Every structure is written in C-alpha cells, then in structure tokens.
Amino acid sequence: MWDLDVSDIRQYAATGRLPAVSVVDGVLERACERALQHHEGKVADYIPALADADPEVFGIAITETNGRTHQLGSYGHVFSIQSISKVFVYALVCEALGHEEVLTAIGVNATGLPFNSVMALELNGGHPLNPMVNAGAIATTSRVPGNSGAERWEFIQSGLSAFAGRPLTLDDGVYRSEALTNQRNQGIARLLSGYGCLKGDSDETVDVYTRQCSLLVDAHDLSVMGATLADGGVNPVTGKRVVGEQVARDALAVMATAGLYERSGEWLVEIGLPGKSGVAGGLLTVAPGKGAVGSYAPRLDEAGNSVRGQIAAAYLSRALGLNLFASAHDASSPGTPASETTSSDSGKKDTDNDE
C-alpha cells in the first residue's frame, strides 16, 4: 500500500463512543485538509459513464449511531454506489435466507486477487470465496428473493433505500454504460452457473447486479447506511430496523476481510476497521457501535480504491481512536501529531466524551 500520510497522527484506543461534536468536527476538518493535499490516482475509465467524473470533487460525512451527522465538502454530490452495494445486498440476503445457508453458498474468505478475477473462482472449484468480489456478489444477487428479475430488483432497491433512510434511484446512464461493457461479469455468471453455484438465469442475474451497482447515493447516504450496520441493523436516522444484529455483524466481518479486494489485509492493518470501496469513488468505513464514514473522491489507486477516501479514513481512525486493534491509552487531544504528544499526555483519559 502506498503512503497514507498519517504517520504523524498518534493512534490510540478510545471508549465505546465518539467524542463531543466539536472534537469530531475539528478532526474531520483536518482529515479533509490532509486528503485534499493528494492528487494521486486516476478516475475509473473502463466504464465510460464513470470516466467523465471530476477528479477534484471530494465529499465526506460521518453519521453516529445516535443519528448525529458531521459532513464537509461535496457530501451531497451523487454518484453510483457500485461495489459498495455488495455489502448491503449480502446483508439483505443473509436476513432472508439465514446465516448458515449463505455462508455455505458464498463463503467469507479473501481471495487476494482483483475484484473481477476468474482465476479465484476456477481455483476453488467454481465456488465463490466471498460476497465482496464480483463472483461472490453475483452469486449473492442470484439468491435475492423473487420470482423474476423485476421482483428481485424491487427487493434490492427497497432494501438499500431502507439502509439509506430515503428512496434511492437508478442512474440510467451508468446502468446502460455498464450493461454494454459487462461481458466479464456475464462470463463469471455463466461460469458460476456451469458449476451449479448460481440460482436462476445468468444474464438476468447480471442485469439485476448491474442495476444494483448503478443506484445513486452521496457521501451522506453511505454514512447512514454504514451507521445502520454499526448500530446492529437499526437505521439511526429513521429508527427502523433493517436487518438483525447477527446479520449486521456478518456483513461487517466480511467487509473487514475482503472489502478492499487484494488490499484488504493492508487496509485492516493500517485503518483497522471494516471498509468497502466502489470504483465510482465511494468509500465506506464503519466503526462498530460508533458510526460510519462515507466519502466520495473518484481518483482511485491500482486496486480500484479511492485515494483521498483512504487517507481521510486513516486519519479519522487514528485521531478518533477508531482502530479496532489499537491498544494505547486515549490521546489528550484527538488529531494531535505524535511529535506534539508528550509522555504525560499518553496516560490521560479523554473526559470530553459527552456533548
């Protein structure tokens, strides 16, 4: 993984909740400033409709499990959800079919290969390894309840809208663009079908999958969707339960192990949180029990993950004590460079946790 540019930010373990509003707002502002200094990466161009994205647009939002939000930049800029949809469709299918059935059919282990790899599928006897890569996601979509492609699409659109807390609509231009260039996904679906790992018609399944990836969201939507998983399946904005607690746990676990494709292990070591990227530039990072970060920045690294989104997530993880594996005591001033933190600070507890 390339330099995330956060080595100067002290990493620490926080309590089970986020700090006061003013603290979170200040850290978010500094995270944005850090991310905006970076211009590495390039916009996805293998899907024509995505190639025209403005590479400098950047928006970010945090939604806490109590429904409180913090947002900066172009957080209302809409974009297609792409692969981030995999997390939520997986959760909906787990809710409908149960933990054991989906675990047996789809798997949860990382492939260590690109998201659209056929090799991973062939090496595993045609059995998808996890729902975050295309083979596993297509197999998951084929198991969505419904007697037709139209019914399954309605189930997905309604379910993802429940996660977002508002009706989500299809970007018809992105859908048509992807439908004209998704021969590889069609091939993966037929291969899955040949191995007996796909339910229903392969072309119909790919069409539904292409639609789910073309739903329009913004950074705020992503943060609410992620916060729903962070809050055990209850949308913190609407107060409505979308999925059960175990399903939310399963979805977060798979995000942690495979959400950033072949970079998932490095992401987990550096950021220490469940995350999921999409090639339009969206990035979702979830802090279980605390909330979620949604961001949009279309410049991608070679694995298809947002560059600025990763930097901002890494900064927030360190400065707000979100890393699930960090064990140092609370920092006295969240976001303070490590060089400015004295030895006496390291033993202090953050007493500004309440608004």
Side-chain angles (χ1 to χ4, degrees):
M1 179 178 281
W2 41 272
D3 185 10
L4 288 171
D5 190 24
V6 292
S7 60
D8 61 318
I9 304 303
R10 186 174 184 272
Q11 188 160 266
Y12 72 104
T15 63
R17 54 187 173 179
L18 290 174
V21 172
S22 60
V23 175
V24 177
D25 286 344
V27 171
L28 181 61
E29 184 174 346
R30 292 193 290 276
C32 287
E33 291 172 352
R34 182 67 60 90
L36 286 169
Q37 295 173 12
H38 289 264
H39 302 275
E40 304 94 329
K42 64 177 184 177
V43 173
D45 56 9
Y46 67 93
I47 299 172
L50 302 183
D52 294 331
D54 182 349
E56 294 305 319
V57 174
F58 179 55
I60 190 166
I62 298 173
T63 295
E64 300 184 38
T65 52
N66 60 12
R68 191 160 51 203
T69 61
H70 316 258
Q71 42 204 25
L72 283 175
S74 302
Y75 58 84
H77 182 93
V78 294
F79 55 93
S80 54
I81 191 171
Q82 297 297 329
S83 286
I84 303 174
S85 67
K86 297 172 180 176
V87 175
F88 301 101
V89 174
Y90 174 73
L92 293 170
V93 170
C94 285
E95 183 73 13
L97 303 183
H99 171 85
E100 292 299 332
E101 181 174 339
V102 179
L103 180 63
T104 300
I106 308 300
V108 293
N109 292 317
T111 67
L113 294 168
F115 65 92
N116 59 354
S117 172
V118 176
M119 183 185 301
L121 193 59
E122 290 277 35
L123 291 175
N124 201 44
H127 189 282
L129 286 174
N130 71 72
M132 299 298 104
V133 293
N134 287 15
I138 291 169
T140 301
T141 297
S142 78
R143 288 166 170 78
V144 167
N147 295 318
S148 66
E151 289 185 6
R152 285 188 281 275
W153 164 239
E154 183 179 355
F155 178 90
I156 290 172
Q157 186 175 22
S158 175
L160 267 65
S161 295
F163 272 109
R166 73 173 184 90
L168 298 180
T169 59
L170 181 75
D171 186 322
D172 192 62
V174 170
Y175 162 67
R176 294 183 181 279
S177 182
E178 291 198 42
L180 292 173
T181 57
N182 65 0
Q183 291 85 356
R184 190 176 186 89
N185 283 341
Q186 291 171 350
I188 289 173
R190 289 167 188 156
L191 186 60
L192 285 166
S193 182
Y195 276 110
C197 295
L198 194 80
K199 299 286 187 181
D201 180 74
S202 60
D203 288 344
E204 182 180 75
T205 296
V206 172
D207 181 71
V208 175
Y209 172 72
T210 304
R211 289 177 182 273
Q212 81 181 45
C213 291
S214 303
L215 280 170
L216 284 171
V217 294
D218 56 32
H220 172 78
D221 291 328
L222 286 185
S223 70
V224 174
M225 296 172 83
T228 301
L229 294 177
D231 198 28
V234 175
N235 186 308
V237 175
T238 66
K240 296 180 180 179
R241 178 168 292 283
V242 183
V243 294
E245 290 183 3
Q246 178 169 302
V247 167
R249 182 207 67 185
D250 290 353
L252 291 174
V254 175
M255 284 175 67
T257 58
L260 273 83
Y261 310 122
E262 65 266 39
R263 301 282 172 82
S264 296
E266 295 172 7
W267 164 272
L268 200 58
V269 168
E270 296 293 342
I271 286 83
L273 292 169
K276 186 70 195 81
S277 62
V279 294
L283 181 64
L284 172 64
T285 310
V286 181
K290 297 178 181 178
V293 182
S295 65
Y296 171 70
R299 291 185 186 273
L300 311 177
D301 64 17
E302 293 180 355
N305 305 314
S306 171
V307 172
R308 286 177 172 173
Q310 290 180 81
I311 291 169
Y315 192 107
L316 292 168
S317 175
R318 284 175 172 259
L320 293 175
L322 303 180
N323 192 315
L324 296 174
F325 308 106
S327 57
H329 292 300
D330 292 6
S332 59
S333 180
T336 301
S339 60
E340 297 178 16
T341 303
T342 65
S343 59
S344 61
D345 288 333
S346 63
K348 289 184 178 180
K349 295 295 182 181
D350 183 4
T351 59
D352 190 23
N353 274 336
D354 294 318
E355 183 179 5

